[in-house]
Amino acid sequence: MNLPPPSPPKPTQHRRHRGSAGSTLLAGGEPMIWLTGGALALALAMIVGLLTLIFVQGVQTFWPKPVEQWEGTKGEVWMGELDKEEINAAGKQRQRLRTGNFELTKSHFLWIDADRIKSRSHPEWAITVERYSGGRFFGIPVAFRTAGQQTAATPEQAWSLFQKHHAEVQQLRRQKESLKRNIVGPINQQLEDARIRLAQAKAKQVQDMIEQAQNSLASVESAAQEKLTCLRQQIEEIDRKGAAYELVFQTSTEPTYVVPVENIARAYPANQLAATGKWSIYLDRWLEFITAEPREANSEGGVFPAIIGTLCMTLIMSIAVVPFGVLAA
């Protein structure tokens, strides 16, 4: 009797331990990848949001606004740019006017209730003035003076003469600043170096070195005094030429007020600007913001020194951190 051959033994099956899905994900590191990606996306969204906010605020800040003149119910007169509107706690509408003229009004902005305003107008020859010191100024030009003599007595003539001489006065101002920066700075540095050498010689208590340092300091001081005297004469001559031109304004509080042309950084007839004029001022303000130095306690002018400082700090930090980051990686 033929029996069937025995079947081969079945291979032994080993039970594989299967962990939970959560532990598998953690072991693979996928949650950390998603967390890192989410943090990166959030950081990018915050950067884009910040840049958008800066752009929107820049549009509102740098775009030239018309100048309004308001008459109050009690005979008051205000002139300036409409800055903001809101409903106060009492439920009344009020508006904030940028009045400028700080030396006259003692404030840059003024809140006025809507029910106090009797009438509004946009004077044709209202001028917005951005000054190097004193902040914004609003007024109507009524005269122009050259060396104390009145050479124009109407808004048109005064504005025409201002446009004619403003570029010349600005060139004188830049020339004066260049003299101070390129001559006074090096002279002061030479004096400081000579004083340091004398202090070091005294610290070493070597008589020959002390006498040599004293003679060097005396020579540097003599040369510096001669250069500073010449520089002072040049600056006084520049100041004399720049101070010869003055623009006379009528404001909401004063019948006449004199603004030196050398103190005017920018001026324009706000209510006569066409679209091209507004865009020109807008772009010029952006250029000034990026390339110029701040003025008026950092409330006017540009942020160029801050940009340079940030770039230098970032560069130095990168140089210092990159080697440690490579080692850590």
Side-chain angles (χ1 to χ4, degrees), residues 3-19:
L3 297 176
S7 59
K10 295 181 178 182
T12 304
Q13 295 182 354
H14 299 282
R15 295 181 62 185
R16 181 180 297 176
H17 176 72
R18 294 183 179 180

Side-chain angles (χ1 to χ4, degrees), residues 139-144 150 152-155 158-159 247-251 255-257:
I140 298 175
V142 295
F144 191 87
Q150 184 169 310
T154 64
W159 180 247
L247 192 56
V248 184
F249 286 94
Q250 175 188 344
T251 72
T256 58
Y257 187 81

Side-chain angles (χ1 to χ4, degrees), residues 202-223:
K202 289 181 178 180
K204 294 180 179 179
Q205 297 182 353
V206 179
Q207 188 62 31
D208 292 340
M209 293 180 61
I210 294 175
E211 292 179 358
Q212 184 178 0
Q214 288 176 340
N215 294 333
S216 176
L217 177 60
S219 176
V220 171
E221 288 179 340
S222 177

Side-chain angles (χ1 to χ4, degrees), residues 248-268:
V248 184
F249 286 94
Q250 175 188 344
T251 72
S252 59
T253 59
E254 300 291 334
T256 58
Y257 187 81
V258 178
V259 177
V261 174
E262 63 180 352
N263 192 33
I264 299 177
R266 182 185 297 107
Y268 55 89

Side-chain angles (χ1 to χ4, degrees), residues 46-58:
M46 292 174 64
I47 293 174
V48 172
L50 178 60
L51 294 177
T52 303
L53 177 63
I54 293 174
F55 177 78
V56 172
Q57 292 294 330

Side-chain angles (χ1 to χ4, degrees), residues 76-271:
E76 312 97 320
V77 179
W78 306 285
M79 181 184 293
E81 297 175 345
L82 178 60
D83 182 67
K84 185 184 295 185
E85 298 182 76
E86 70 174 21
I87 304 297
N88 61 17
K92 294 183 178 181
Q93 183 181 9
R94 65 173 187 169
Q95 298 168 331
R96 189 169 75 171
L97 189 69
R98 183 172 190 170
T99 57
N101 305 12
F102 182 79
E103 64 272 31
L104 301 177
T105 62
K106 304 306 177 185
S107 65
H108 294 288
F109 296 89
L110 181 65
W111 283 103
I112 304 173
D113 294 333
D115 55 9
R116 292 180 56 193
I117 303 173
K118 179 181 178 181
S119 63
R120 301 186 181 190
S121 62
H122 294 80
E124 179 184 5
W125 280 103
I127 304 295
T128 299
V129 179
E130 300 175 19
R131 298 181 290 180
Y132 289 105
S133 61
R136 294 284 178 91
F137 188 91
F138 302 99
I140 298 175
V142 295
F144 191 87
R145 297 177 184 173
T146 303
Q149 301 296 322
Q150 184 169 310
T151 54
T154 64
E156 295 89 345
Q157 295 174 352
W159 180 247
S160 177
L161 287 176
F162 166 78
Q163 289 181 305
K164 177 181 178 181
H165 295 291
H166 184 244
E168 174 189 349
V169 175
Q170 291 301 297
Q171 179 62 31
L172 291 173
R173 184 184 183 90
R174 287 191 292 269
Q175 182 180 351
K176 180 173 66 174
E177 292 177 350
S178 177
L179 288 174
K180 291 180 178 179
R181 183 183 304 109
N182 299 326
I183 298 180
V184 176
I187 290 176
N188 290 333
Q189 185 62 47
Q190 291 175 2
L191 289 171
E192 185 64 21
D193 292 341
R195 294 189 184 101
I196 292 175
R197 287 194 295 269
L198 177 59
Q200 292 174 344
K202 289 181 178 180
K204 294 180 179 179
Q205 297 182 353
V206 179
Q207 188 62 31
D208 292 340
M209 293 180 61
I210 294 175
E211 292 179 358
Q212 184 178 0
Q214 288 176 340
N215 294 333
S216 176
L217 177 60
S219 176
V220 171
E221 288 179 340
S222 177
Q225 185 63 33
E226 183 178 352
K227 291 180 180 179
L228 289 175
T229 301
C230 180
L231 176 63
R232 193 177 301 112
Q233 293 175 352
Q234 295 181 38
I235 292 177
E236 289 176 354
E237 179 64 18
I238 293 174
D239 288 337
R240 185 188 63 80
K241 292 180 180 179
Y245 303 106
E246 298 173 327
L247 192 56
V248 184
F249 286 94
Q250 175 188 344
T251 72
S252 59
T253 59
E254 300 291 334
T256 58
Y257 187 81
V258 178
V259 177
V261 174
E262 63 180 352
N263 192 33
I264 299 177
R266 182 185 297 107
Y268 55 89
N271 298 330

